[in-house]
């Protein structure tokens, strides 16, 4: 009996110490019948609550897990869906409240998509400029938003190494839009 209790205690301890994705997150990451994930929409009340939430940071242990690889792969397929194509996507848009974004690098040859973990903008540089924006989660609306021309970005790469980079132009605009998603902010909030 005593040994059994110790076993239970050890199992409980193990479960509470696991630094991975939660059961609910895993259900979404591995859920659905297709590779493309469902993109949350502000037109849906429940989705809207998620889109307006603040996302939690990713932890080092998570990036080596299959959940992380699967999530990145499926987010990429989702943002490249020809029926609803985007230039960036944030994890909360597929229902995962973690600080992860994929951005299409228009400032690099071939315009590849890259993933950024726990991204934060540590410096903004002007001038600001108006540009038209839309969002996969905000159907049928596009409007002008004022954004900074240049940003200094701090983030973790896919090996969880800390990186810093200065980004300019349209790619910098995408970063500002996607990082806003991690704090529940949408581009429509800036429209006057
Ligand atoms: Zn968006």
């Amino acid at each position: 009996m005593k040994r059994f209790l110790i076993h239970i205690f050890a199992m409980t301890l193990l479960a509470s110490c696991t630094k991975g994705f939660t059961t609910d997150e895993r259900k979404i990451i591995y859920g659905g019948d297709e590779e493309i994930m469902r993109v949350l929409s502000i037109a849906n009340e429940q989705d809207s609550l998620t889109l307006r939430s603040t996302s939690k940071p990713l932890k080092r242990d998570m990036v080596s897990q299959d959940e992380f690889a699967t999530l990145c792969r499926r987010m990429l397929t989702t943002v490249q869906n020809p029926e609803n194509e985007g230039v960036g996507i944030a994890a909360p848009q597929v229902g995962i409240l973690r600080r992860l974004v994929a951005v299409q690098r228009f400032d690099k040859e071939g315009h590849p998509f890259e993933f950024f973990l726990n991204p934060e903008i540590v410096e903004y540089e002007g001038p600001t400029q108006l540009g038209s924006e839309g969002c996969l989660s905000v159907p049928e609306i596009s409007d002008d938003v004022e954004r900074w021309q240049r940003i200094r970005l701090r983030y973790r790469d896919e090996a969880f190494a800390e990186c810093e980079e200065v980004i300019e132009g349209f790619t910098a605009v995408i970063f500002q839009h996607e990082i806003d998603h991690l704090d529940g902010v949408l581009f429509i909030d800036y429209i006057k």
Side-chain angles (χ1 to χ4, degrees):
M1 183 61 186
K2 195 174 174 190
R3 180 182 272 184
F4 179 70
L5 281 175
I6 289 169
H7 183 69
I8 296 275
F9 176 71
M11 293 288 279
T12 312
L13 198 66
L14 192 70
S16 63
C17 288
T18 303
K19 289 174 185 146
F21 290 89
T22 65
T23 307
D24 285 346
E25 287 171 331
R26 289 190 11 234
K27 262 187 213 158
I28 296 168
I29 292 168
Y30 294 120
D33 300 328
E34 297 177 76
E35 178 71 5
I36 290 171
M37 300 177 89
R38 189 177 76 83
V39 176
L40 275 55
S41 165
I42 56 156
N44 174 301
E45 202 178 324
Q46 195 58 44
D47 286 1
S48 210
L49 292 174
T50 304
L51 288 166
R52 290 305 192 175
S53 303
T54 300
S55 293
K56 292 196 186 88
L58 285 161
K59 296 172 192 157
R60 185 183 292 275
D61 298 27
M62 290 173 149
V63 303
S64 55
Q65 293 176 341
D66 182 66
E67 285 86 344
F68 180 74
T70 303
L71 174 61
C72 289
R73 198 192 66 228
R74 295 190 69 194
M75 277 174 66
L76 195 58
T77 310
T78 306
V79 72
Q80 292 181 307
N81 174 13
E83 282 167 32
N84 193 23
E85 215 171 1
V87 293
I89 191 166
Q93 291 183 274
V94 292
I96 302 292
L97 288 172
R98 296 284 176 179
R99 305 190 81 85
L100 172 69
V101 300
V103 168
Q104 190 167 11
R105 298 295 303 257
F106 287 93
D107 53 347
K108 289 190 178 177
E109 205 182 314
H111 302 166
F113 272 94
E114 291 178 353
F115 281 89
F116 300 83
L117 290 62
N118 302 341
E120 48 174 328
I121 298 170
V122 293
E123 252 174 63
Y124 296 87
E125 231 182 276
T128 57
Q129 52 191 32
L130 277 179
S132 180
E133 285 182 37
C135 179
L136 298 177
S137 298
V138 184
E140 286 161 31
I141 298 178
S142 67
D143 212 329
D144 282 351
V145 178
E146 199 165 5
R147 299 285 190 184
W148 295 92
Q149 162 69 24
R150 190 198 303 243
I151 56 164
R152 179 179 290 275
L153 183 77
R154 193 175 290 160
Y155 63 96
R156 299 277 179 165
D157 66 11
E158 286 169 70
F160 217 70
E162 197 170 57
C163 306
E164 223 174 85
E165 209 180 319
V166 173
I167 296 152
E168 304 182 321
F170 182 52
T171 308
V173 172
I174 306 172
F175 273 103
Q176 289 167 75
H177 177 117
E178 298 310 332
I179 292 171
D180 270 351
H181 272 298
L182 308 180
D183 294 309
V185 175
L186 301 170
F187 82 97
I188 44 174
D189 301 344
Y190 299 110
I191 297 170
K192 283 152 194 154

